[in-house]
Amino acid sequence: MKIIRVKDYQAMSEAAAKIISEAVRENPQINLGLATGGSPVKMYKLLVADHQANKTVYKDVKSFNLDEYLGLPQGHPQTYHTFMHENLFNHIDIKEENIFVPDGDTKDPKATAAQYEELLEKNQIDLQLLGIGTNGHIGFNEPGSSFQGKTAVVDLTPETITANARYFEGNQDLVPTEAISMGIGSIMRAKKILLIASGANKAKVIKGLVEGAITESLPASVLQNHPDVTLVIDEAAASLLSK
Ligand code: F6R
């Protein structure tokens, strides 16, 4: 595991944006796995700025998002579909038909999850971006999720619902309780994984991910088994690491 330690959120965003934009320039047909949440927001801004300044081309890039809430109507401001368009897709030249986010407004969530998994089996992800939950989740694979898991309908833990209430007027009752998420097995098939984390509230889980046991009770610890993982973490997130 390669660990890039940087000063703060801004530096984390810059380092991660550099890795992604270079990967896109190197392979204009790259399959990107993308994440939502607070961690990548600035990084996406920098990718947009890079697209405008350096003409990094996304027209043959395919993107596959990690997850989507279940039960929010299409166009709801808090869907990850909306998040991705507002933060990135609307501002670069990626084609709409090359954008894949699980459909959270489906009538048959299980079938939708199975179809998404099939799509991922046909399109290996070259570079998968991950954030990490304070409980160690990656995607919405909460503690206890199987390391072999495929894309599935998952329940969000109370900790995740509390953490995400900030996007729902601070009201936990408005946060969906289920999502469709790539499984840990699906994530681990990516050729390369880039995980970003910033802030003291991530320090404990980053220590567990880097130095702890590989255990399903800390889903991100599975990344110790992946051959090509880069962590970009800021000082606060790295603060509990022993070296
Ligand atoms: C988002 C996702 C989640 C987040 C994680 C961290 O698509 O899959 O695993 O990456 O919850 O969220 P933030 O970045 O908001 O701390």
Side-chain angles (χ1 to χ4, degrees):
M1 194 177 293
K2 180 174 169 197
I3 303 181
I4 302 176
R5 291 188 198 211
V6 294
K7 188 166 181 298
D8 53 15
Y9 179 75
Q10 172 71 23
M12 176 200 80
S13 306
E14 286 169 8
K18 186 163 180 277
I19 290 171
I20 294 187
S21 58
E22 280 176 3
V24 172
R25 284 194 289 272
E26 227 167 74
N27 175 9
Q29 300 188 339
I30 194 168
N31 288 338
L32 290 177
L34 295 177
T36 61
S39 305
V41 167
K42 181 75 197 186
M43 188 205 77
Y44 288 142
K45 277 203 172 70
L46 294 170
L47 287 179
V48 170
D50 163 76
H51 167 70
Q52 288 163 354
N54 303 322
K55 310 274 177 287
T56 306
V57 175
Y58 289 81
K59 70 179 178 43
D60 296 320
V61 170
K62 285 188 191 159
S63 79
F64 301 86
N65 262 80
L66 278 168
D67 41 20
E68 177 62 284
Y69 290 121
L70 264 178
L72 297 181
Q74 264 173 30
H76 185 286
Q78 294 309 333
T79 65
Y80 288 167
H81 183 273
T82 301
F83 174 101
M84 287 307 303
H85 281 77
E86 286 179 349
N87 283 282
L88 183 66
F89 299 147
N90 289 349
H91 313 290
I92 58 175
D93 59 343
I94 192 166
K95 293 180 184 147
E96 195 58 40
E97 67 260 32
N98 287 345
I99 294 172
F100 302 94
V101 182
D103 176 9
D105 194 24
T106 171
K107 292 207 167 51
D108 189 345
K110 271 192 171 173
T112 301
Q115 282 158 16
Y116 202 72
E117 182 68 19
E118 259 175 49
L119 181 75
L120 295 172
E121 278 164 12
K122 287 193 197 122
N123 296 274
Q124 188 185 17
I125 289 176
D126 297 296
L127 176 58
Q128 175 69 55
L129 174 72
L130 297 176
I132 184 168
T134 51
N135 63 1
H137 74 208
I138 48 176
F140 273 133
N141 297 287
E142 302 285 29
S145 304
S146 163
F147 283 171
Q148 273 74 50
K150 299 180 172 187
T151 305
V153 177
V154 296
D155 291 323
L156 308 193
T157 59
E159 186 170 353
T160 297
I161 291 171
T162 305
N164 289 5
R166 65 192 194 275
Y167 300 115
F168 292 84
E169 305 158 30
N171 185 349
Q172 297 189 21
D173 296 339
L174 299 178
V175 183
T177 56
E178 289 181 314
I180 293 180
S181 177
M182 281 190 203
I184 295 180
S186 341
I187 292 171
M188 288 292 279
R189 288 199 303 266
K191 283 190 200 153
K192 184 178 173 74
I193 292 180
L194 169 63
L195 183 143
I196 57 175
S198 159
N201 64 334
K202 299 287 170 75
K204 193 163 163 234
V205 88
I206 288 296
K207 185 176 175 64
L209 153 59
V210 176
E211 297 174 0
I214 301 175
T215 162
E216 288 176 354
S217 58
L218 200 161
S221 65
V222 74
L223 299 177
Q224 292 180 32
N225 289 333
H226 191 283
D228 191 352
V229 175
T230 300
L231 305 189
V232 180
I233 53 178
D234 71 3
E235 273 171 16
S239 59
L240 293 178
L241 292 179
S242 53
K243 325 184 250 200

